[in-house]
Amino acid sequence: MSEILNPILTLVLNYGYPIIVCCIIAAYFGLPVPTNAILLAAGSFSIDGNLNIFLLILLAAVTAIIGDLFGYYLGKKFGSHVVNNLTNKLG
């Protein structure tokens, strides 16, 4: 896990909020990104004064809500088609 986490934390420290948002978005697309560890580290960076904790919470919440809405939209738009195709192939 440290092979993935160390470079990401370096990017978070250097570039801040855009990297955090990109990691959360990547996790919503199913990529194995350790978002919990990244957000925990970002909170630690905010204690040092590198990031604003209130902006961090706002961005993480808004990004998570947008990701959930996008997943809901995809499920509503294509979900029944996917389920029908799977049941026809399996049954």
Side-chain angles (χ1 to χ4, degrees):
M1 171 107 116
S2 64
E3 296 86 23
I4 297 171
L5 194 57
N6 287 337
I8 294 175
L9 291 181
T10 303
L11 287 173
V12 168
L13 192 55
N14 290 334
Y15 299 106
Y17 305 110
I19 297 298
I20 295 168
V21 169
C22 288
C23 288
I24 295 171
I25 291 171
Y28 271 100
F29 281 111
L31 296 175
V33 181
T35 53
N36 290 338
I38 292 169
L39 289 173
L40 184 65
S44 307
F45 295 152
S46 69
I47 291 173
D48 292 337
N50 295 326
L51 299 172
N52 182 346
I53 189 68
F54 298 110
L55 184 58
L56 178 66
I57 292 170
L58 179 69
L59 282 176
V62 168
T63 306
I65 291 169
I66 290 172
D68 285 340
L69 289 174
F70 182 70
Y72 174 79
Y73 171 76
L74 287 178
K76 185 172 179 163
K77 183 89 172 164
F78 303 109
S80 61
H81 179 68
V82 170
V83 169
N84 289 337
N85 282 343
L86 288 174
T87 55
N88 288 339
K89 289 179 183 178
L90 296 176

